[in-house]
């Protein structure tokens, strides 16, 4: 299965999960999104919240070799949850390159105990296709590794 993994990570937690996922799926390509302006520190966090609440895309550094989304059997998208919404860097990527996705899955990371189903629904709207699978990982999930393994198994077993 030809797989593309795309993610944004502000703290490194989403990145760690997405790299493990990429390796487990034997993905073809990994794209790490880099916004032009920082989303770290007090000013950066305010920027992140403003962009997410307003559903505004971040300005991204250029993606080397923009992907042909239709060439992949599966596109896995990873994002932290910001103010109960998709991160602005992933929103920008999907608005620019998201056309043509045939099958997708999501990994969202967050600090709260809830599953953030509204973020998953928001991603469905941004991709234009229903998700094949989704994984919501909280900061304090003690079973994150087992849940990630089950997610990989479900994606690998599902027909493309």
């Amino acid at each position: 299965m030809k797989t593309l993994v795309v993610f944004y990570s502000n703290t490194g937690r989403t990145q760690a999960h997405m790299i493990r996922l990429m390796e487990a799926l034997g993905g073809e390509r990994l794209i790490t999104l880099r916004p032009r302006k920082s989303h770290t520190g007090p000013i950066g966090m305010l920027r992140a919240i403003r962009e997410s609440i307003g559903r505004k895309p971040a300005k991204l550094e250029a993606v080397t070799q923009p992907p042909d989304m239709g060439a992949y059997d599966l596109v896995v998208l990873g994002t932290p949850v910001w103010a109960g919404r998709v991160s602005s860097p992933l929103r920008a990527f999907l608005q620019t390159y998201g056309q043509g996705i045939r099958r997708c899955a999501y990994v969202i990371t967050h600090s709260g105990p809830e599953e953030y189903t509204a973020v998953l629904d928001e991603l469905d709207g941004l991709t234009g296709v229903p998700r094949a699978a989704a994984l919501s990982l909280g900061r304090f999930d003690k079973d994150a590794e087992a849940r990630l393994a089950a997610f990989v198994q479900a994606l690998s077993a599902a027909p493309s």
Side-chain angles (χ1 to χ4, degrees):
M1 170 171 52
K2 190 172 179 182
T3 304
L4 170 66
V5 176
V6 180
F7 73 92
Y8 172 71
S9 184
N10 199 34
T11 64
R13 199 160 52 90
T14 304
Q15 178 179 11
H17 291 307
M18 298 307 286
I19 288 172
R20 281 196 295 283
L21 181 66
M22 171 80 170
E23 292 167 351
L25 287 171
E28 297 276 325
R29 184 172 177 200
L30 180 73
I31 297 176
T32 304
L33 302 176
R34 304 203 188 288
R36 289 185 191 163
K37 292 186 177 180
S38 174
H39 290 91
T40 59
I43 300 297
M45 288 307 297
L46 287 173
R47 179 180 299 114
I49 291 167
R50 186 183 71 239
E51 289 171 354
S52 291
I53 289 174
R55 291 185 165 85
K56 296 178 190 230
K59 289 184 170 52
L60 296 177
E61 296 292 332
V63 173
T64 308
Q65 299 174 336
D68 172 6
M69 298 301 231
Y72 294 94
D73 301 312
L74 175 65
V75 177
V76 184
L77 304 167
T79 183
V81 174
W82 287 352
R85 293 181 175 81
V86 173
S87 70
S88 57
L90 186 62
R91 174 184 308 286
F93 177 84
L94 289 171
Q95 288 177 349
T96 304
Y97 304 107
Q99 297 74 24
I101 293 175
R102 296 183 291 141
R103 182 170 174 252
C104 60
Y106 316 134
V107 175
I108 62 171
T109 59
H110 50 84
S111 296
E114 57 266 15
E115 291 295 312
Y116 290 99
T117 55
V119 175
L120 302 175
D121 294 340
E122 185 180 3
L123 283 165
D124 284 343
L126 289 166
T127 62
V129 295
R131 67 193 96 116
L135 180 60
S136 177
L137 295 171
R139 179 184 307 231
F140 302 108
D141 283 352
K142 294 184 180 5
D143 60 348
E145 290 302 317
R147 292 179 62 216
L148 189 65
F151 182 70
V152 168
Q153 187 175 20
L155 287 174
S156 299
S160 49

